[in-house]
Amino acid sequence: MRRRQFLSSASLLAAAGAFPRVAGATKRNRDAELRAMLDRFFYSRLEDSPESATSLGLDTGERAHLRSKLGDTSRAGEARQFARARRELATLKTIPRNRLSETAQLDYDVVEYSLQRLIDGERYAYGASAGRYAPYVLSQLSGAYRDVPDFLAGQHRIADAADADAYLARVEAFPAAIEAETVRQREDAAKGVAAPDYILDTTLRQIAAVRDRAPEATGTAMDIAAKLKGANLPPDRAEAVAKLIGERVFPALDRQRTLLTELRAKATHDAGVWRLPDGEAYYAAASSAATTVDLTGDEIHRLGLQQVAEISGRIDAILKAQGMSQGSVGERLVELNKRPDQLFPNTDPGREALLESLRGQIVAITKRLPEQFAFIPKAPVEVRRVPEAIQAGSPGGYYQSASLDGTRPAIYFINLRDTFDRPKFGLATLSYHEAMPGHHLQIMSALESDDIPLIRRRGFYSGYSEGWALYSEQLADEMGMYEGDPLGQVGYLQSLLFRATRLVVDSGMHVKRWSREKATDYLIGITGIARGRSQGEIDRYTVWPGQACSYKIGHTVWAELRDEAKRKAGAQWDPKAFHIVLMKGAMPLTVLQKVARARMA
């Protein structure tokens, strides 16, 4: 295994043994057959996902041709995904599940679940439903216009002339990706599917940030120029990229902007997907796909209201102990956010100081991780700000995993469009969520494991991964990371409150027909999060229905399973024995519950 492990305690060895060794030649043969099948699935998919090949560092050797390509963003490309999923599911079912070892049965169950979920999304002939549900082809968070430049800058390395030629080839493919999405959005608009007016406004601003500058001054042209210089290569390919942008990319963007301007002129202001074809069923499918549990919109709403009340009470007690007793919890959090001692200057030096504080937080908690974990990923994680060109529509923070070949580190991005949106008292919990012991530890522990099939190492289930990251925030608090820092603990609880509030506003917009303004005011009133950041969050939920629910629902499942395991273990409780379940890779929450309880037994 390519990872560090500290298997010293008897409980850990017992936990590892909860996944028994294969008994008998038949099961060994069936396991090997399944593993080979899943590897074929994985490498076949890479052919249709060149960006994933680059992200993982697998665009070399026999797959080097992928380094020059972009994925197919057309409706035909999506149709191929659905057709492949049907073929793969049929192939998977040729292996009798009951003849597999328990470990292989887990791989079987997780892949079967994923394939069936993907196939279920084919019924919705608009937006994207192959995995994450996104009803609008073009939005502030979706579209080649933003994704391709961000991908090239963040993940396409240039070490030699071949890498530079591949970069140039991808820029040549960029206009076709834009055009394919313009066609899809036009077709969807004919069905009555287009983003609300406020989403189109932000999308048009972001397209303008790319389009309304000289070709050589675009982020892509400057990116390749800097990479060529760093690799000691001549600048001629940067000139070629600028020429392509001016002659082919800009005209494609102009056509896309024209379409979006036309849609904006007749756009609705309604926020929810209830207004779309089969919108009620769409939201149920989207929330189920994100959380990997089945709850109705009304059930999600009630759960959110219950958790908002409970967490608000905990924050209220701490704020009163700090002499802050006037007004609602949300109003007091707003005042705390305004305090000068809680803000970094909204300048480049202030932003760099903020980034340095995040780096220090990661170092501090990493030293403590052996108390809770028997494994630490090898890949480093860097802290960077979200690129300015896309920060207007990007989330507040997000994680990008490292490549499998070790050539590119993992990155924890934080949106610093305004440092007022990131007060000091809430920063540590964001670091624990995005880096350690959150996304970085969970995702890279799976990616670095040779025991997990490649198709599952890359698997992502929002309820599992986002729930784990939120559970990691709770774990940091339980480890004492906020000792002597009550405002830091308020920041952690505000994060929990924020995620509970998401349950209310997401279901509120998409099921109960709340307006954007009602959802925003509720979010601010409950959490005290600055209006600029809150508005960005509500707009995110508009275009990714159900995804925001995965955090708190996933956290609830993780925390309940941990507490259940702790009760059953009694005096023999060892947190490392529980957390080692991460080494089995991401899985739907319904599968996690079965696996965790089997190990408890």
Side-chain angles (χ1 to χ4, degrees):
M1 289 181 259
R2 295 182 292 117
R3 61 179 183 269
R4 280 178 284 176
Q5 287 191 312
F6 303 90
L7 298 174
S8 56
S9 69
S11 60
L12 270 182
L13 291 171
F19 300 101
R21 296 178 179 177
V22 178
T26 300
K27 285 192 174 181
R28 283 198 298 272
N29 291 339
R30 287 296 191 183
D31 283 7
E33 182 184 352
L34 176 67
R35 182 65 174 259
M37 177 188 293
L38 297 183
D39 284 347
R40 288 196 303 273
F41 290 176
F42 175 79
Y43 287 114
S44 174
R45 291 179 186 186
L46 280 187
E47 291 298 319
D48 285 334
S49 184
E51 294 91 341
S52 293
T54 295
S55 176
L56 292 168
L58 296 177
D59 56 353
T60 59
E62 63 184 279
R63 287 177 291 277
H65 62 284
L66 295 175
R67 196 165 183 76
S68 303
K69 297 181 179 180
L70 296 175
D72 186 350
T73 59
S74 70
R75 186 69 69 193
E78 185 182 57
R80 282 198 300 275
Q81 291 186 56
F82 290 124
R84 181 179 57 227
R86 290 193 298 271
R87 290 194 306 271
E88 289 177 349
L89 183 59
T91 303
L92 179 69
K93 290 185 175 181
T94 63
I95 295 182
R97 182 187 179 280
N98 61 355
R99 296 185 185 179
L100 297 169
S101 69
E102 288 190 26
T103 298
Q105 285 179 356
L106 173 61
D107 295 333
Y108 185 105
D109 291 345
V110 172
V111 173
E112 180 185 40
Y113 178 97
S114 300
L115 290 171
Q116 190 59 61
R117 285 286 184 168
L118 196 156
I119 293 167
D120 290 344
E122 191 173 12
R123 64 176 288 193
Y124 301 103
Y126 57 83
S129 56
R132 170 183 282 167
Y133 281 62
Y136 313 115
V137 174
L138 296 172
S139 73
Q140 84 282 19
L141 290 176
S142 57
Y145 79 89
R146 69 183 299 285
D147 295 340
V148 172
D150 189 37
F151 163 74
L152 289 172
Q155 302 194 50
H156 190 115
R157 298 183 310 112
I158 294 181
D160 54 32
D163 292 339
D165 287 339
Y167 192 112
L168 180 60
R170 278 177 157 160
V171 176
E172 288 176 336
F174 188 16
I178 297 170
E179 293 285 7
E181 291 179 339
T182 302
V183 170
R184 285 179 62 183
Q185 183 60 79
R186 184 177 290 111
E187 292 172 348
D188 284 359
K191 303 169 187 172
V193 180
D197 52 11
Y198 57 93
I199 296 297
L200 292 172
D201 287 340
T202 304
T203 306
L204 284 165
R205 285 198 300 271
Q206 291 191 166
I207 290 177
V210 177
R211 171 64 182 86
D212 294 345
R213 59 180 64 197
E216 64 275 10
T218 58
T220 301
M222 292 190 293
D223 175 60
I224 190 172
K227 288 175 177 175
L228 290 171
K229 184 176 180 181
N232 293 316
L233 294 170
D236 54 328
R237 292 179 186 84
E239 296 165 4
V241 163
K243 188 171 186 291
L244 278 170
I245 290 172
E247 294 181 357
R248 294 182 54 201
V249 175
F250 279 179
L253 285 174
D254 287 341
R255 288 187 287 274
Q256 192 164 93
R257 180 156 62 173
T258 297
L259 171 64
L260 293 179
T261 301
E262 293 171 358
L263 296 178
R264 174 62 181 86
K266 51 189 177 184
T268 181
H269 192 66
D270 293 329
V273 296
W274 54 265
R275 65 184 175 82
L276 303 181
D278 209 9
E280 183 177 340
Y282 186 94
Y283 181 72
S287 59
S288 180
T291 64
T292 63
V293 297
D294 291 324
L295 294 172
T296 67
D298 285 339
E299 287 171 333
I300 290 171
H301 201 76
R302 286 195 298 272
L303 178 63
L305 291 172
Q306 292 165 3
Q307 295 198 357
V308 163
E310 187 270 327
I311 299 166
S312 294
R314 295 172 65 187
I315 296 174
D316 179 54
I318 298 175
L319 291 177
K320 284 179 177 176
Q322 295 300 304
M324 301 179 67
S325 58
Q326 300 301 310
S328 69
V329 167
E331 289 168 342
R332 281 174 277 169
L333 288 171
V334 168
E335 291 307 310
L336 182 59
N337 197 149
K338 293 177 181 178
R339 281 177 27 177
D341 67 317
Q342 293 300 316
L343 298 175
F344 285 94
N346 197 35
T347 62
D348 286 342
R351 292 182 177 89
E352 184 53 40
L354 188 156
L355 294 173
E356 278 300 309
S357 72
L358 302 185
R359 295 175 185 124
Q361 290 157 2
I362 294 170
V363 170
I365 198 165
T366 299
K367 293 177 180 177
R368 299 277 306 278
L369 292 183
E371 299 170 16
Q372 297 284 331
F373 299 95
F375 51 90
I376 307 293
K378 293 189 298 183
V381 58
E382 295 184 0
V383 181
R384 300 182 191 175
R385 66 177 296 188
V386 172
E388 292 183 65
I390 62 171
Q391 66 184 9
S394 294
Y398 55 92
Y399 171 81
Q400 176 181 292
S401 62
S403 60
L404 283 174
D405 62 1
T407 58
R408 179 178 48 75
I411 303 170
Y412 155 26
F413 285 101
I414 184 169
N415 197 324
L416 298 182
R417 57 181 176 256
D418 189 339
T419 57
F420 183 78
D421 294 341
R422 290 295 167 191
K424 294 178 182 178
F425 69 90
L427 289 176
T429 198
L430 183 63
S431 296
Y432 305 146
H433 182 107
E434 301 293 346
M436 292 287 202
H439 286 318
H440 183 60
L441 185 145
Q442 178 256 308
I443 292 172
M444 290 311 303
S445 294
L447 275 176
E448 292 178 359
S449 171
D450 291 329
D451 294 339
I452 304 172
L454 280 165
I455 197 170
R456 287 198 53 231
R457 289 190 225 172
R458 185 67 168 170
F460 180 82
Y461 302 90
S462 192
Y464 178 100
S465 295
E466 298 297 356
W468 170 264
L470 201 53
Y471 166 76
S472 295
E473 298 179 27
Q474 175 182 332
L475 189 62
D477 180 46
E478 293 169 348
M479 291 168 66
M481 298 306 294
Y482 297 113
E483 284 184 10
D485 181 17
L487 293 184
Q489 191 173 47
V490 167
Y492 150 62
L493 290 173
Q494 184 189 39
S495 176
L496 282 188
L497 180 62
F498 170 40
R499 272 43 179 252
T501 305
R502 281 176 164 178
L503 300 177
V504 179
V505 296
D506 193 85
S507 58
M509 288 192 295
H510 296 298
V511 176
K512 297 184 176 298
R513 305 192 177 193
W514 285 18
S515 68
R516 179 202 196 199
E517 290 71 25
K518 180 175 180 178
T520 304
D521 289 344
Y522 182 86
L523 181 64
I524 295 169
I526 294 295
T527 67
I529 291 173
R531 179 165 290 275
R533 179 182 164 200
S534 292
Q535 192 66 83
E537 289 291 331
I538 294 300
D539 293 355
R540 168 185 164 186
Y541 314 154
T542 301
V543 302
W544 283 351
Q547 192 271 345
C549 301
S550 62
Y551 295 70
K552 198 64 182 69
I553 290 173
H555 166 256
T556 300
V557 170
W558 271 109
E560 287 178 349
L561 286 173
R562 192 279 308 269
D563 292 346
E564 184 179 341
K566 192 173 182 179
R567 285 193 304 272
K568 290 186 176 181
Q572 302 301 314
W573 167 249
D574 182 350
K576 298 178 188 178
F578 175 76
H579 293 146
I580 205 169
V581 72
L582 287 181
M583 301 309 297
K584 303 307 294 180
M587 61 191 79
L589 291 176
T590 50
V591 177
L592 173 66
Q593 289 170 324
K594 294 177 183 177
V595 170
R597 286 176 177 140
R599 294 178 65 242
M600 292 176 202

